[in-house]
Amino acid sequence: MELRKELPEIFEEFAEARRNGFMLAKDLKEKNVPMVGTFCTYMPQELPLAMGAAVVSLCATSDETIGEAEKDLPRNLCPLIKSSYGFGKTDKCPYFYFSDIVVGETTCDGKKKMYEYMGEYKDVHVMQLPNTQIGQDSFNLWKNEIIKLKDILEEKFDTKITEDHIKSAINLKNRERTALKNFYALGKLDPPAITGGDILKVLYGSTFKFDREQSIKEVEALTQKITEEYNEGKVLERKPRILITGCPIGGVTEKVVKAIEDNGANVVFFENCMGAKAIEDLVSEEKEDVYEALAEKYLSIGCSCMTPNDNRIKMLDRAIDEYKVDGVVDVILQACHTYAIETLNIKRFVNGSKDIPYMSIETDYSTSDIGQLNTRMAAFVEMI
Ligand code: BJ8
């Protein structure tokens, strides 16, 4: 067995995918391919894909435009919301600029109120997401909202989205999810095959690949290559195994992953929206009613905007066992009330039912807390 020193260059390619995608997005626009921007995992991507549109995640991950956003929005607001609004307002995000329509949802209060202002400079459609996953009324509401989104896309782009098109898009997204699931399942290996930082690069980068068939092939090839090398004995050093949960991370908030891994642990699983929350469950391809199949998958996403949010606990329960997790880090973006309030529930579950250490950290899009993050992570890893 030899300790792995070099990682495949393709990780860097995935890390650069967001930037490399700018030119691709421009090319698509020149070819008149519609572009649909999204801010949330609840958005059923299958619908825009079914009409041949490109779908792009617009959640901003740096503090570059927060100052501009704070001219319109309160300072004491989640950085994800302020930064996303700021990139839209200043036209500094090419993906936002090229998006013909932005689809939002009534998730947290901050986001849904921000969309009212965003609608002043962009075509924004907000889907009415129920606050609970319980009961037929919630299900019907979400199913109807999905059908309404289809109608809105058809009208805006003067096209017809057939059920056969949606079925093909469901199949494509399921294959994409399966490829990514198989990739992040490498995190189950003990000792690990790759770092959490590299898992995140692939998960984040894959959201900016517009040729989805090609992206599936790349992820499958990467998984195969790492598995083969692992079987030949190339492994990473065994360290305490960490699961990350909470608010979405990526971009500047990768500082949390770095702080964990620089201080003696490996991140083996990402439960949050850049990871399993968005990917783990497939859409049923058996159901005749495609809208029902979509509603079932998307409404079951375990976000803290739901009350109660049992599906987050169910996912954590499974992942902690399957990934042999030694400790859980809950990442809360500043002023995110729903995730902040839910920390108590997650702590009780992790410390109580699973009997492993838990830590919640609150952070923002600045780099000023890196020293503090390092100190806290070093102490956390030491107590595992
Ligand atoms: S499904 S996690 S992407 S809502 S961090 S903006 S909740 S104040 S991002 Fe999210 Fe959809 Fe849920 Fe996922 Fe509000 Fe909290 Fe900010 Fe958040």
Side-chain angles (χ1 to χ4, degrees):
M1 195 177 277
E2 64 172 302
L3 277 190
R4 185 191 264 288
K5 291 189 190 69
E6 284 174 17
L7 288 162
E9 273 174 18
I10 186 145
F11 284 119
E12 298 317 315
E13 206 265 309
F14 271 96
E16 290 300 311
R18 184 176 184 276
R19 202 173 338 186
N20 296 340
F22 293 161
M23 290 314 288
L24 292 174
K26 186 166 172 279
D27 286 351
L28 289 173
K29 290 313 299 169
E30 280 166 6
K31 289 179 189 145
N32 277 330
V33 175
M35 188 161 291
V36 175
T38 165
F39 280 105
C40 179
T41 305
Y42 281 106
M43 206 280 272
Q45 295 194 7
E46 285 82 352
L47 292 182
L49 290 174
M51 61 167 213
V55 184
V56 66
S57 166
L58 299 175
C59 284
T61 54
S62 92
D63 65 356
E64 194 185 328
T65 61
I66 284 184
E68 192 54 43
E70 285 177 349
K71 290 182 185 164
D72 297 350
L73 301 173
R75 288 179 62 114
N76 184 24
L77 184 65
C78 153
L80 189 153
I81 302 173
K82 285 190 290 190
S83 166
S84 301
Y85 176 84
F87 272 100
K89 185 184 173 195
T90 56
D91 263 345
K92 279 191 176 165
C93 170
Y95 294 120
F96 188 92
Y97 176 79
F98 289 129
S99 290
D100 300 291
I101 185 170
V102 167
V103 180
E105 302 77 12
T106 52
T107 48
C108 62
D109 288 349
K111 257 188 185 172
K112 75 184 173 210
K113 295 305 287 180
M114 177 273 278
Y115 291 136
E116 293 175 12
Y117 297 126
M118 188 174 268
E120 292 171 7
Y121 53 86
K122 199 74 177 177
D123 189 359
V124 175
H125 170 67
V126 179
M127 300 177 77
Q128 301 298 314
L129 182 73
N131 287 325
T132 180
Q133 294 148 333
I134 296 171
Q136 196 58 37
D137 287 348
S138 294
F139 186 84
N140 293 345
L141 170 62
W142 191 234
K143 182 180 162 189
N144 289 336
E145 284 296 306
I146 291 175
I147 295 171
K148 198 188 282 175
L149 174 63
K150 177 201 73 103
D151 294 341
I152 280 170
L153 294 174
E154 284 183 333
E155 197 186 322
K156 172 152 181 97
F157 297 102
D158 191 20
T159 186
K160 186 87 197 128
I161 302 177
T162 67
E163 295 198 2
D164 280 346
H165 288 146
I166 298 175
K167 280 185 182 158
S168 302
I170 288 175
N171 177 267
L172 174 67
K173 277 294 295 176
N174 278 349
R175 287 187 290 114
E176 183 186 74
R177 289 187 186 104
T178 304
L180 288 168
K181 271 169 69 140
N182 290 339
F183 170 72
Y184 69 62
L186 291 170
K188 288 182 188 168
L189 296 170
D190 185 14
I194 48 175
T195 65
D198 284 330
I199 294 175
L200 190 59
K201 274 180 204 162
V202 174
L203 295 175
Y204 184 63
S206 67
T207 60
F208 298 101
K209 301 248 176 177
F210 294 112
D211 184 340
R212 288 173 188 251
E213 294 289 359
Q214 177 62 23
S215 171
I216 291 169
K217 280 192 203 132
E218 283 175 14
V219 174
E220 285 173 346
L222 182 60
T223 309
Q224 193 183 345
K225 182 177 165 63
I226 293 165
T227 308
E228 282 167 9
E229 290 183 0
Y230 188 83
N231 291 338
E232 285 161 12
K234 280 196 180 172
V235 302
L236 295 182
E237 188 186 338
R238 207 232 181 250
K239 296 174 182 173
R241 300 164 64 83
I242 304 296
L243 177 151
I244 290 188
T245 181
C247 297
I249 55 171
V252 72
T253 43
E254 282 169 31
K255 64 187 173 181
V256 178
V257 181
K258 191 166 179 333
I260 293 170
E261 298 201 319
D262 283 355
N263 286 286
N266 288 126
V267 177
V268 295
F269 190 77
F270 293 89
E271 181 275 338
N272 42 8
C273 265
M274 199 47 74
K277 207 192 290 290
I279 299 166
E280 189 72 9
D281 295 329
L282 305 185
V283 177
S284 166
E285 296 188 47
E286 310 304 319
K287 274 196 163 29
E288 248 332 284
D289 184 337
V290 288
Y291 302 108
E292 213 165 293
L294 289 171
E296 199 174 82
K297 143 83 192 171
Y298 284 96
L299 191 57
S300 68
I301 290 167
C303 172
S304 62
C305 298
M306 290 290 162
T307 179
N309 185 20
D310 296 339
N311 287 345
R312 183 175 177 202
I313 297 286
K314 281 185 198 150
M315 168 106 69
L316 288 173
D317 191 13
R318 244 183 23 232
I320 288 170
D321 293 345
E322 286 178 12
Y323 287 73
K324 297 194 216 113
V325 169
D326 300 310
V328 170
V329 175
D330 200 354
V331 181
I332 315 300
L333 290 177
Q334 238 167 41
C336 174
H337 298 316
T338 56
Y339 275 102
I341 292 169
E342 218 167 84
T343 55
L344 174 62
N345 202 21
I346 304 301
K347 182 179 192 314
R348 282 176 177 158
F349 175 72
V350 172
N351 285 164
S353 304
K354 305 311 280 185
D355 199 18
I356 56 172
Y358 165 92
M359 169 185 271
S360 77
I361 54 140
E362 192 185 68
T363 189
D364 62 11
Y365 280 6
S366 73
T367 48
S368 60
D369 62 351
I370 286 179
Q372 194 201 6
L373 281 174
N374 276 318
T375 311
R376 292 197 63 201
M377 288 310 160
F380 182 63
V381 173
E382 211 177 291
M383 72 180 238
I384 291 178

Short mmCIF file of all heavy atoms in Angstrom, two decimals, residues 72-111:
data_model
loop_
_atom_site.label_atom_id
_atom_site.label_comp_id
_atom_site.label_asym_id
_atom_site.label_seq_id
_atom_site.Cartn_x
_atom_site.Cartn_y
_atom_site.Cartn_z
N ASP A 72 -29.37 47.96 -1.28
CA ASP A 72 -30.80 47.68 -1.40
C ASP A 72 -31.33 46.75 -0.31
O ASP A 72 -32.50 46.80 0.03
CB ASP A 72 -31.09 46.97 -2.75
CG ASP A 72 -30.75 47.84 -3.95
OD1 ASP A 72 -30.49 49.04 -3.74
OD2 ASP A 72 -30.74 47.32 -5.07
N LEU A 73 -30.47 45.88 0.17
CA LEU A 73 -30.91 44.83 1.11
C LEU A 73 -30.30 45.06 2.48
O LEU A 73 -29.23 45.68 2.58
CB LEU A 73 -30.48 43.44 0.58
CG LEU A 73 -31.01 43.04 -0.79
CD1 LEU A 73 -30.37 41.73 -1.25
CD2 LEU A 73 -32.53 42.88 -0.76
N PRO A 74 -30.93 44.54 3.54
CA PRO A 74 -30.36 44.73 4.87
C PRO A 74 -29.00 44.05 5.00
O PRO A 74 -28.77 43.00 4.38
CB PRO A 74 -31.37 44.07 5.81
CG PRO A 74 -32.39 43.41 4.97
CD PRO A 74 -32.18 43.78 3.55
N ARG A 75 -28.13 44.64 5.81
CA ARG A 75 -26.80 44.03 6.03
C ARG A 75 -26.94 42.68 6.72
O ARG A 75 -26.20 41.75 6.44
CB ARG A 75 -25.95 44.95 6.91
CG ARG A 75 -25.49 46.20 6.22
CD ARG A 75 -24.68 47.02 7.19
NE ARG A 75 -23.49 46.26 7.59
CZ ARG A 75 -22.27 46.62 7.29
NH1 ARG A 75 -22.05 47.71 6.62
NH2 ARG A 75 -21.24 45.90 7.69
N ASN A 76 -27.91 42.62 7.65
CA ASN A 76 -28.07 41.41 8.43
C ASN A 76 -28.90 40.37 7.67
O ASN A 76 -29.97 39.97 8.09
CB ASN A 76 -28.75 41.75 9.76
CG ASN A 76 -28.85 40.56 10.66
OD1 ASN A 76 -28.07 39.61 10.53
ND2 ASN A 76 -29.81 40.56 11.57
N LEU A 77 -28.37 39.97 6.52
CA LEU A 77 -29.07 39.01 5.66
C LEU A 77 -28.03 37.99 5.21
O LEU A 77 -26.84 38.30 5.10
CB LEU A 77 -29.65 39.77 4.46
CG LEU A 77 -30.50 38.99 3.46
CD1 LEU A 77 -31.79 38.47 4.10
CD2 LEU A 77 -30.88 39.89 2.27
N CYS A 78 -28.49 36.79 4.92
CA CYS A 78 -27.59 35.71 4.52
C CYS A 78 -26.69 36.13 3.34
O CYS A 78 -27.18 36.71 2.37
CB CYS A 78 -28.45 34.51 4.16
SG CYS A 78 -27.74 33.38 3.00
N PRO A 79 -25.38 35.83 3.40
CA PRO A 79 -24.47 36.26 2.34
C PRO A 79 -24.80 35.64 0.98
O PRO A 79 -24.55 36.26 -0.06
CB PRO A 79 -23.09 35.78 2.82
CG PRO A 79 -23.37 34.74 3.86
CD PRO A 79 -24.67 35.10 4.48
N LEU A 80 -25.39 34.45 1.01
CA LEU A 80 -25.74 33.80 -0.28
C LEU A 80 -26.78 34.66 -1.01
O LEU A 80 -26.69 34.88 -2.22
CB LEU A 80 -26.27 32.39 -0.01
CG LEU A 80 -26.51 31.49 -1.22
CD1 LEU A 80 -26.37 30.02 -0.81
CD2 LEU A 80 -27.85 31.69 -1.88
N ILE A 81 -27.73 35.18 -0.25
CA ILE A 81 -28.79 36.00 -0.86
C ILE A 81 -28.22 37.33 -1.33
O ILE A 81 -28.45 37.77 -2.47
CB ILE A 81 -29.94 36.23 0.14
CG1 ILE A 81 -30.51 34.89 0.62
CG2 ILE A 81 -31.03 37.09 -0.48
CD1 ILE A 81 -31.54 35.02 1.73
N LYS A 82 -27.44 37.98 -0.45
CA LYS A 82 -26.90 39.29 -0.82
C LYS A 82 -25.97 39.19 -2.02
O LYS A 82 -26.06 39.97 -2.97
CB LYS A 82 -26.12 39.89 0.37
CG LYS A 82 -27.01 40.42 1.47
CD LYS A 82 -26.24 41.21 2.50
CE LYS A 82 -25.33 40.36 3.35
NZ LYS A 82 -24.76 41.05 4.50
N SER A 83 -25.10 38.19 -1.98
CA SER A 83 -24.14 38.05 -3.07
C SER A 83 -24.84 37.72 -4.39
O SER A 83 -24.52 38.29 -5.44
CB SER A 83 -23.14 36.96 -2.66
OG SER A 83 -22.39 36.55 -3.73
N SER A 84 -25.83 36.82 -4.33
CA SER A 84 -26.56 36.45 -5.56
C SER A 84 -27.27 37.66 -6.14
O SER A 84 -27.21 37.93 -7.34
CB SER A 84 -27.59 35.36 -5.25
OG SER A 84 -26.96 34.22 -4.73
N TYR A 85 -27.91 38.42 -5.27
CA TYR A 85 -28.61 39.63 -5.72
C TYR A 85 -27.60 40.62 -6.32
O TYR A 85 -27.83 41.20 -7.38
CB TYR A 85 -29.34 40.25 -4.53
CG TYR A 85 -30.03 41.55 -4.85
CD1 TYR A 85 -31.31 41.58 -5.41
CD2 TYR A 85 -29.40 42.77 -4.60
CE1 TYR A 85 -31.94 42.78 -5.71
CE2 TYR A 85 -30.02 43.98 -4.89
CZ TYR A 85 -31.29 43.98 -5.44
OH TYR A 85 -31.89 45.17 -5.74
N GLY A 86 -26.47 40.77 -5.62
CA GLY A 86 -25.46 41.73 -6.07
C GLY A 86 -24.89 41.36 -7.43
O GLY A 86 -24.71 42.22 -8.30
N PHE A 87 -24.61 40.08 -7.65
CA PHE A 87 -24.08 39.66 -8.96
C PHE A 87 -25.10 39.92 -10.06
O PHE A 87 -24.75 40.29 -11.18
CB PHE A 87 -23.66 38.18 -8.94
CG PHE A 87 -22.24 38.00 -8.49
CD1 PHE A 87 -21.94 37.61 -7.19
CD2 PHE A 87 -21.19 38.24 -9.36
CE1 PHE A 87 -20.63 37.47 -6.77
CE2 PHE A 87 -19.87 38.10 -8.96
CZ PHE A 87 -19.59 37.71 -7.65
N GLY A 88 -26.39 39.72 -9.72
CA GLY A 88 -27.42 39.99 -10.71
C GLY A 88 -27.52 41.48 -11.01
O GLY A 88 -27.52 41.91 -12.16
N LYS A 89 -27.53 42.27 -9.95
CA LYS A 89 -27.71 43.72 -10.10
C LYS A 89 -26.56 44.36 -10.88
O LYS A 89 -26.77 45.26 -11.70
CB LYS A 89 -27.82 44.34 -8.70
CG LYS A 89 -28.13 45.82 -8.72
CD LYS A 89 -28.13 46.39 -7.31
CE LYS A 89 -28.29 47.91 -7.38
NZ LYS A 89 -27.95 48.56 -6.12
N THR A 90 -25.36 43.88 -10.62
CA THR A 90 -24.20 44.52 -11.25
C THR A 90 -23.84 43.88 -12.59
O THR A 90 -22.89 44.31 -13.23
CB THR A 90 -22.96 44.39 -10.33
OG1 THR A 90 -22.77 42.98 -10.05
CG2 THR A 90 -23.15 45.13 -9.01
N ASP A 91 -24.57 42.84 -12.98
CA ASP A 91 -24.26 42.13 -14.24
C ASP A 91 -22.85 41.54 -14.23
O ASP A 91 -22.23 41.37 -15.26
CB ASP A 91 -24.41 43.06 -15.45
CG ASP A 91 -25.79 42.87 -16.09
OD1 ASP A 91 -26.44 41.85 -15.78
OD2 ASP A 91 -26.19 43.72 -16.89
N LYS A 92 -22.34 41.24 -13.04
CA LYS A 92 -20.97 40.71 -12.97
C LYS A 92 -20.93 39.20 -13.13
O LYS A 92 -19.85 38.62 -13.24
CB LYS A 92 -20.31 41.10 -11.64
CG LYS A 92 -19.77 42.51 -11.65
CD LYS A 92 -18.90 42.74 -10.45
CE LYS A 92 -18.28 44.13 -10.55
NZ LYS A 92 -17.71 44.56 -9.28
N CYS A 93 -22.10 38.55 -13.08
CA CYS A 93 -22.10 37.09 -13.28
C CYS A 93 -22.59 36.80 -14.69
O CYS A 93 -23.76 37.05 -15.01
CB CYS A 93 -23.01 36.41 -12.26
SG CYS A 93 -23.28 34.67 -12.63
N PRO A 94 -21.71 36.27 -15.56
CA PRO A 94 -22.13 36.01 -16.94
C PRO A 94 -23.32 35.06 -17.01
O PRO A 94 -24.17 35.19 -17.89
CB PRO A 94 -20.90 35.36 -17.58
CG PRO A 94 -19.78 35.63 -16.66
CD PRO A 94 -20.32 35.88 -15.30
N TYR A 95 -23.39 34.11 -16.08
CA TYR A 95 -24.51 33.15 -16.12
C TYR A 95 -25.83 33.86 -15.85
O TYR A 95 -26.85 33.56 -16.46
CB TYR A 95 -24.30 32.03 -15.09
CG TYR A 95 -23.12 31.15 -15.41
CD1 TYR A 95 -22.06 31.02 -14.53
CD2 TYR A 95 -23.06 30.45 -16.61
CE1 TYR A 95 -20.97 30.22 -14.83
CE2 TYR A 95 -21.97 29.65 -16.92
CZ TYR A 95 -20.93 29.54 -16.02
OH TYR A 95 -19.86 28.75 -16.32
N PHE A 96 -25.80 34.79 -14.91
CA PHE A 96 -27.02 35.56 -14.64
C PHE A 96 -27.37 36.41 -15.87
O PHE A 96 -28.52 36.46 -16.30
CB PHE A 96 -26.81 36.47 -13.41
CG PHE A 96 -28.08 37.13 -12.95
CD1 PHE A 96 -28.88 36.54 -11.99
CD2 PHE A 96 -28.49 38.34 -13.51
CE1 PHE A 96 -30.06 37.15 -11.58
CE2 PHE A 96 -29.66 38.95 -13.10
CZ PHE A 96 -30.45 38.35 -12.13
N TYR A 97 -26.35 37.04 -16.41
CA TYR A 97 -26.55 37.91 -17.58
C TYR A 97 -27.17 37.13 -18.74
O TYR A 97 -28.09 37.60 -19.40
CB TYR A 97 -25.19 38.50 -17.97
CG TYR A 97 -25.23 39.34 -19.22
CD1 TYR A 97 -25.71 40.64 -19.19
CD2 TYR A 97 -24.80 38.81 -20.44
CE1 TYR A 97 -25.76 41.41 -20.34
CE2 TYR A 97 -24.84 39.56 -21.59
CZ TYR A 97 -25.33 40.86 -21.54
OH TYR A 97 -25.38 41.61 -22.68
N PHE A 98 -26.69 35.91 -18.97
CA PHE A 98 -27.18 35.12 -20.11
C PHE A 98 -28.50 34.41 -19.82
O PHE A 98 -29.13 33.89 -20.74
CB PHE A 98 -26.14 34.08 -20.53
CG PHE A 98 -24.93 34.65 -21.20
CD1 PHE A 98 -23.64 34.33 -20.76
CD2 PHE A 98 -25.06 35.52 -22.28
CE1 PHE A 98 -22.53 34.87 -21.38
CE2 PHE A 98 -23.94 36.08 -22.90
CZ PHE A 98 -22.68 35.74 -22.44
N SER A 99 -28.91 34.36 -18.55
CA SER A 99 -30.16 33.65 -18.24
C SER A 99 -31.36 34.43 -18.80
O SER A 99 -31.51 35.62 -18.54
CB SER A 99 -30.33 33.49 -16.72
OG SER A 99 -29.38 32.58 -16.23
N ASP A 100 -32.20 33.73 -19.54
CA ASP A 100 -33.40 34.38 -20.09
C ASP A 100 -34.47 34.51 -19.01
O ASP A 100 -35.31 35.40 -19.07
CB ASP A 100 -33.97 33.53 -21.23
CG ASP A 100 -32.97 33.37 -22.35
OD1 ASP A 100 -32.69 34.37 -23.02
OD2 ASP A 100 -32.44 32.25 -22.52
N ILE A 101 -34.46 33.60 -18.08
CA ILE A 101 -35.43 33.63 -16.98
C ILE A 101 -34.75 33.03 -15.75
O ILE A 101 -33.89 32.15 -15.87
CB ILE A 101 -36.72 32.85 -17.35
CG1 ILE A 101 -37.78 32.99 -16.26
CG2 ILE A 101 -36.44 31.37 -17.61
CD1 ILE A 101 -39.16 32.44 -16.66
N VAL A 102 -35.12 33.56 -14.60
CA VAL A 102 -34.62 33.01 -13.34
C VAL A 102 -35.80 32.37 -12.63
O VAL A 102 -36.87 32.98 -12.53
CB VAL A 102 -34.01 34.13 -12.47
CG1 VAL A 102 -33.77 33.65 -11.05
CG2 VAL A 102 -32.72 34.64 -13.09
N VAL A 103 -35.61 31.14 -12.17
CA VAL A 103 -36.68 30.47 -11.44
C VAL A 103 -36.29 30.41 -9.96
O VAL A 103 -35.24 29.88 -9.61
CB VAL A 103 -36.95 29.04 -11.98
CG1 VAL A 103 -38.08 28.38 -11.19
CG2 VAL A 103 -37.27 29.08 -13.46
N GLY A 104 -37.13 31.00 -9.12
CA GLY A 104 -36.90 30.95 -7.68
C GLY A 104 -38.02 30.17 -7.02
O GLY A 104 -38.98 29.74 -7.67
N GLU A 105 -37.90 29.96 -5.72
CA GLU A 105 -38.94 29.26 -4.96
C GLU A 105 -39.14 29.98 -3.65
O GLU A 105 -38.24 30.65 -3.17
CB GLU A 105 -38.56 27.80 -4.63
CG GLU A 105 -38.25 26.92 -5.80
CD GLU A 105 -36.87 27.19 -6.36
OE1 GLU A 105 -36.10 27.89 -5.70
OE2 GLU A 105 -36.58 26.71 -7.47
N THR A 106 -40.30 29.79 -3.04
CA THR A 106 -40.56 30.38 -1.72
C THR A 106 -39.95 29.47 -0.65
O THR A 106 -40.65 28.77 0.06
CB THR A 106 -42.06 30.54 -1.48
OG1 THR A 106 -42.71 29.28 -1.73
CG2 THR A 106 -42.66 31.57 -2.39
N THR A 107 -38.61 29.48 -0.58
CA THR A 107 -37.94 28.67 0.44
C THR A 107 -37.84 29.51 1.72
O THR A 107 -38.78 29.57 2.47
CB THR A 107 -36.56 28.20 -0.05
OG1 THR A 107 -35.86 29.32 -0.60
CG2 THR A 107 -36.69 27.12 -1.09
N CYS A 108 -36.69 30.18 1.92
CA CYS A 108 -36.58 31.01 3.13
C CYS A 108 -37.12 32.41 2.83
O CYS A 108 -37.24 32.83 1.69
CB CYS A 108 -35.12 31.09 3.59
SG CYS A 108 -34.05 31.85 2.39
N ASP A 109 -37.45 33.14 3.91
CA ASP A 109 -38.04 34.47 3.75
C ASP A 109 -37.12 35.42 2.99
O ASP A 109 -37.56 36.22 2.17
CB ASP A 109 -38.36 35.08 5.12
CG ASP A 109 -39.55 34.37 5.76
OD1 ASP A 109 -40.21 33.59 5.06
OD2 ASP A 109 -39.81 34.60 6.95
N GLY A 110 -35.82 35.32 3.31
CA GLY A 110 -34.86 36.23 2.67
C GLY A 110 -34.85 36.08 1.17
O GLY A 110 -34.87 37.07 0.42
N LYS A 111 -34.81 34.84 0.71
CA LYS A 111 -34.76 34.61 -0.73
C LYS A 111 -36.04 35.08 -1.39
O LYS A 111 -36.03 35.75 -2.41
CB LYS A 111 -34.58 33.11 -1.00
CG LYS A 111 -33.18 32.70 -1.40
CD LYS A 111 -33.23 31.23 -1.81
CE LYS A 111 -31.85 30.69 -2.13
NZ LYS A 111 -31.88 29.25 -2.33
#
